[in-house]
Amino acid sequence: MAGELPFEKPLVELHDKIKELRRFTEEKGIDFSDEVKRLEQKAKELADQIYGNLTPWQRVQLARHPERPTTLDYIQLLFTDFMEIHGDRLFGDDQAIVGGIARLDGRPVTIIGNQKGKDTKDNIRRNFGMAHPEGYRKALRIMEQANKFGRPIICFINTSGAYPGKAAEERGQSEAIARNLRQMATFGVPIICVVIGEGGSGGALAIGVGNRVFMLENSYYSVIAPESAAAILWRDSSLGMRAAETMKITAPDLLELGVIDGIIPEPFGGAHRDVAMQADAVKKVLLEQLEQLSQLSPDELVQDRYEKFKQIGEYASL
Amino acid sequence: MLKDLFGKKRKFATVPSENLTRVPASGDQAKEAGVREKEVPEGLMNKCPHCGTIHYSKDLEKNLRVCKGCQYHYSISAPERLALLLDDGVLTEEFDTDLITSNPLGFPGYLEKLEQDMANTNLNEAVVTGEGLLEGNRIVVGVMDSRFRMASMGSVVGEKITRAIERAIDRRLPFILFSASGGARMQEGVLSLMQMAKTSAALAKLDRERLLYISVLTNPTFGGVSASFSSLGDYNIAEPGAMIGFAGRRVIEQTIRQELPKDFQTAEFLLQNGQLDMVVHRKEMRSTLAKLVEMHTSTPREGVETWQESSPLKSLS
């Protein structure tokens, strides 16, 4: 198992031991098959125990797994005829966000997504998936185009947050995000958002105002990355684990809070264990939801989205 | 006369300097545990946190809580702001005073902090909304109050602002919002984040109805508030020296590992970078806002041709 996470270590060690015993059996002709069987049973139980009881912090780690499928992976597996389109026509082409048009089961759709890199070089080009204002403005331009041509919009959310940098502030990071939030509320086409990894703060929400919002089982969605929350709340960014446990950021939490519409199950051990299977699960949901939303008129879609967000929040009355 | 001088000096010595903070550090998200700008300390004197000029508190009040030395704009409470803004100094109708925050995430210690702030401020939450008269013009107005949880935005703040916008639509009135906020409220997690979408969607409706929205950004406006309704005005106006941004200065310095210019994220910096329409001194705020509102509501006076009527292209059509 490549890229294992700390909490998976006992399982990895067990698998290594099983492998070693098998090699012994082959090389030395000593029969360890009973022992192997016993250990395999144990490994299965251990895996059930670990993956069946993932803590919020463990899910955060899975959501950030370097091998976790990205927007471009899903685009490749779910759609046909994808054509990437570039640039905000104002300043530049932010590679931290990708967008384009493609077909989903033959039907033209517009796709937007945060894009993390696959390796260090790619990550530098994509700024680790943290967009500048031009990224959000590119997304808006592409979404406006979708609205013009009546194409549904599908957003894949996967960012630790909008980039907190000098140039980003100078070019109006706040304004870019705010404008997307307002404009996404006006589009008369179906918008479906799927959090595929990290749903970090305003940088995630800026492409997240959908009629339907789904989360993969091991993704998270939070007002701020857990480490930053810890820095603010307790002045100690190393308390990210505690923040993750306290702040209700997992898919089941958000479903309970009424923020999302559903959870898309992941393969055992996380999306990266079986990317094709994961893509199928996502596709199934997209097709179902698109079918439902296509029944609504443009005005109804706008109203539907308004009501969805209007009801989020909890308060009491004196 | 000499005696008087000495008398004054003794008063200088009573300034409780340990209570005086420097320019409030720009807050990232809800930086409520930390520095809150010190209100005018009790007593006769006040020392400007920016330039150190010492004022009589009475003079400072008279000067709308603006330092005579450096024009530093002290934070003012929501009731004080309304007193400066509205005819008769008060709202004609206050909205949603019954909404109070619950503790949706079961965050430890949250309710106690809220109760404390409610007692200290006499407010139900960090924003006051209502209808009032601005130089005779009916407006719907919201004012955030940084004494309450650094005016961070949780469910109630989001809901109150959204309802105020909806009322502005129902009554067909202009909407003016004074923001001051550390950002989203950590203790309500993702529910706070979603208030950004909720308030912005309400502004989309207001926009579609062609109603006026003026956003006035005051010190400090950061994070989720800056990245939603505060940046969406038909006119974005700030008070001089107000600190405004998405991420806090400290976070940015840690990320890019270089020092930022001194005026970074000030209202003047934003104006220079094309993010604001104007920076307006507190003394001019009321008249500026009234002028803007009237520009959008008044019917053309008789005898004044509208642009279309006076256009040379008219004869062509």
Side-chain angles (χ1 to χ4, degrees):
Chain A
M1 290 205 300
E4 75 270 5
L5 297 164
F7 66 88
E8 296 176 300
K9 219 174 158 201
L11 194 59
V12 174
E13 281 169 1
L14 204 54
H15 279 296
D16 285 349
K17 204 166 174 189
I18 293 169
K19 235 188 271 171
E20 202 178 317
L21 283 176
R22 283 218 175 101
R23 206 186 60 221
F24 243 68
T25 311
E26 271 173 31
E27 285 173 6
K28 312 258 160 128
I30 311 167
D31 185 15
F32 281 115
S33 58
D34 279 358
E35 181 70 1
V36 167
K37 220 182 228 169
R38 197 181 64 78
L39 287 179
E40 275 176 341
Q41 181 58 30
K42 204 177 155 195
K44 197 177 163 289
E45 281 165 19
L46 187 63
D48 278 343
Q49 199 201 336
I50 291 176
Y51 297 123
N53 301 289
L54 288 170
T55 65
W57 183 242
Q58 287 167 343
R59 286 190 203 268
V60 169
Q61 288 170 289
L62 279 172
R64 291 173 176 168
H65 198 289
E67 286 160 35
R68 194 168 176 88
T70 65
T71 296
L72 284 174
D73 293 317
Y74 288 110
I75 287 176
Q76 207 196 345
L77 289 162
L78 294 180
F79 305 92
T80 52
D81 297 339
F82 176 65
M83 280 176 273
E84 185 172 354
I85 47 186
H86 294 274
D88 66 348
R89 305 270 167 90
L90 296 163
F91 180 82
D93 181 36
D94 190 340
Q95 304 277 310
I97 286 187
V98 293
I101 49 176
R103 289 179 189 274
L104 178 66
D105 260 17
R107 175 179 185 171
V109 293
T110 283
I111 309 162
I112 308 277
N114 306 108
Q115 185 62 41
K116 292 186 184 183
K118 284 283 180 191
D119 50 46
T120 308
K121 204 176 145 199
D122 196 20
N123 254 323
I124 288 167
R125 181 161 73 104
R126 303 197 180 277
N127 201 27
F128 296 83
M130 294 181 284
H132 281 74
E134 50 271 25
Y136 296 111
R137 288 174 182 143
K138 167 166 85 172
L140 182 61
R141 181 179 77 81
I142 298 173
M143 288 191 282
E144 277 168 350
Q145 191 191 63
N147 188 48
K148 173 179 172 183
F149 293 110
R151 275 195 300 265
I153 300 168
I154 294 164
C155 299
F156 293 108
I157 296 170
N158 187 19
T159 181
S160 57
Y163 188 61
K166 180 167 175 272
E169 296 285 329
E170 284 167 352
R171 297 200 285 274
Q173 189 72 290
S174 286
E175 196 273 349
I177 294 171
R179 181 180 292 266
N180 279 19
L181 300 180
R182 185 182 67 192
Q183 294 313 108
M184 281 185 91
T186 66
F187 297 144
V189 294
I191 305 178
I192 304 172
C193 306
V194 184
V195 185
I196 57 173
E198 293 189 87
S201 183
L205 186 63
I207 56 166
V209 187
N211 295 89
R212 302 284 184 271
V213 181
F214 286 81
M215 284 175 76
L216 295 197
E217 191 183 341
N218 295 317
S219 62
Y220 81 85
Y221 202 168
S222 175
V223 64
I224 188 171
E227 291 84 352
S228 312
I232 291 171
L233 286 167
W234 307 301
R235 318 219 133 212
D236 185 353
S237 61
S238 67
L239 296 174
M241 186 162 97
R242 187 171 142 199
E245 320 271 318
T246 321
M247 293 190 72
K248 303 227 160 104
I249 60 175
T250 67
D253 290 331
L254 267 80
L255 191 63
E256 205 189 305
L257 289 169
V259 174
I260 60 166
D261 299 281
I263 301 171
I264 303 176
E266 290 192 21
F268 207 61
H272 59 292
R273 301 274 177 206
D274 191 340
V275 181
M277 188 176 138
Q278 186 66 72
D280 278 347
V282 172
K283 187 170 184 177
K284 194 170 146 260
V285 169
L286 291 182
L287 288 172
E288 270 172 23
Q289 297 302 322
L290 217 48
E291 178 63 34
Q292 284 179 24
L293 292 171
S294 301
Q295 313 295 320
L296 302 180
S297 71
D299 283 347
E300 286 168 338
L301 285 165
V302 171
Q303 191 58 26
D304 172 79
R305 219 173 294 128
Y306 189 78
E307 276 156 20
K308 174 181 171 56
F309 284 89
K310 177 73 171 71
Q311 56 82 30
I312 298 177
E314 271 186 49
Y315 42 84
S317 214
L318 276 176
Chain B
M1 221 166 107
L2 258 178
K3 218 173 154 191
D4 286 346
L5 262 176
F6 278 109
K8 272 184 189 171
K9 243 186 185 162
R10 267 209 300 282
K11 281 175 190 162
F12 273 77
T14 61
V15 174
S17 59
E18 72 275 14
N19 285 344
L20 298 168
T21 49
R22 286 167 50 76
V23 184
S26 55
D28 47 292
Q29 301 285 341
K31 207 169 105 187
E32 36 212 4
V35 199
R36 176 182 301 173
E37 188 180 346
K38 192 65 197 162
E39 292 155 43
V40 182
E42 280 158 55
L44 283 168
M45 310 297 293
N46 187 286
K47 185 172 166 187
C48 172
H50 197 244
C51 70
T53 302
I54 294 179
H55 318 86
Y56 272 114
S57 295
K58 223 168 45 194
D59 290 346
L60 192 61
E61 299 295 327
K62 242 185 256 166
N63 204 36
L64 313 182
R65 305 273 297 273
V66 175
C67 172
K68 280 211 164 115
C70 67
Q71 301 303 313
Y72 172 76
H73 284 49
Y74 285 73
S75 280
I76 57 177
S77 70
E80 284 171 322
R81 177 73 66 182
L82 291 169
L84 293 183
L85 183 76
L86 297 174
D87 302 357
D88 300 330
V90 284
L91 294 164
T92 48
E93 177 190 353
E94 189 173 347
F95 303 150
D96 305 311
T97 49
D98 61 321
L99 290 189
I100 54 163
T101 298
S102 54
N103 190 0
L105 306 193
F107 208 95
Y110 183 35
L111 288 177
E112 289 76 6
K113 282 182 179 167
L114 289 168
E115 271 162 28
Q116 231 172 36
D117 286 356
M118 284 166 82
N120 289 343
T121 60
N122 209 18
L123 301 174
N124 63 332
E125 249 291 348
V127 66
V128 175
T129 55
E131 191 188 316
L133 286 171
L134 170 64
E135 299 194 357
N137 304 286
R138 286 176 68 197
I139 57 164
V140 169
V141 63
V143 184
M144 303 182 87
D145 194 317
S146 60
R147 297 172 304 161
F148 198 109
R149 301 282 89 212
M150 200 49 237
S152 57
M153 173 163 62
S155 299
V156 172
V157 170
E159 182 67 20
K160 282 185 85 172
I161 290 173
T162 304
R163 289 189 189 184
I165 297 166
E166 286 177 340
R167 286 195 178 97
I169 295 170
D170 286 346
R171 299 175 189 190
R172 305 216 52 85
L173 294 178
F175 178 57
I176 302 180
L177 194 121
F178 287 79
S179 52
S181 177
R185 190 171 295 172
M186 294 294 112
Q187 291 89 341
E188 291 182 44
V190 75
L191 293 179
S192 301
L193 182 70
M194 295 298 149
Q195 303 310 310
M196 294 167 63
K198 178 155 118 182
T199 51
S200 302
L203 286 175
K205 270 194 173 179
L206 189 84
D207 199 53
R208 201 163 47 237
E209 297 288 333
R210 294 170 186 273
L211 290 167
L212 173 66
Y213 167 40
I214 306 174
S215 168
V216 184
L217 299 93
T218 70
N219 190 42
T221 298
F222 274 86
V225 166
S226 145
S228 58
F229 54 84
S230 287
S231 295
L232 293 172
D234 295 302
Y235 304 93
N236 292 333
I237 300 175
E239 281 194 331
M243 301 299 293
I244 302 158
F246 177 65
R249 187 188 187 95
R250 205 162 33 98
V251 173
I252 298 171
E253 277 179 341
Q254 277 167 12
T255 308
I256 63 173
R257 291 175 198 287
Q258 67 187 57
E259 222 176 293
L260 294 163
K262 214 173 159 201
D263 67 342
F264 189 65
Q265 294 182 326
T266 58
E268 293 73 17
F269 176 91
L270 265 80
L271 184 70
Q272 207 174 6
N273 281 292
Q275 308 297 334
L276 290 173
D277 291 286
M278 45 188 127
V279 175
V280 175
H281 194 284
R282 192 170 285 167
K283 274 183 191 157
E284 314 287 332
M285 190 61 82
R286 178 190 163 107
S287 60
T288 305
L289 292 174
K291 212 160 113 187
L292 266 175
V293 166
E294 278 161 17
M295 199 84 86
H296 292 78
T297 51
S298 62
T299 44
R301 275 169 295 155
E302 247 173 275
V304 179
E305 287 191 328
T306 61
W307 176 83
Q308 284 91 344
E309 281 165 350
S310 61
S311 166
L313 296 177
K314 197 185 153 200
S315 56
L316 298 175
S317 59

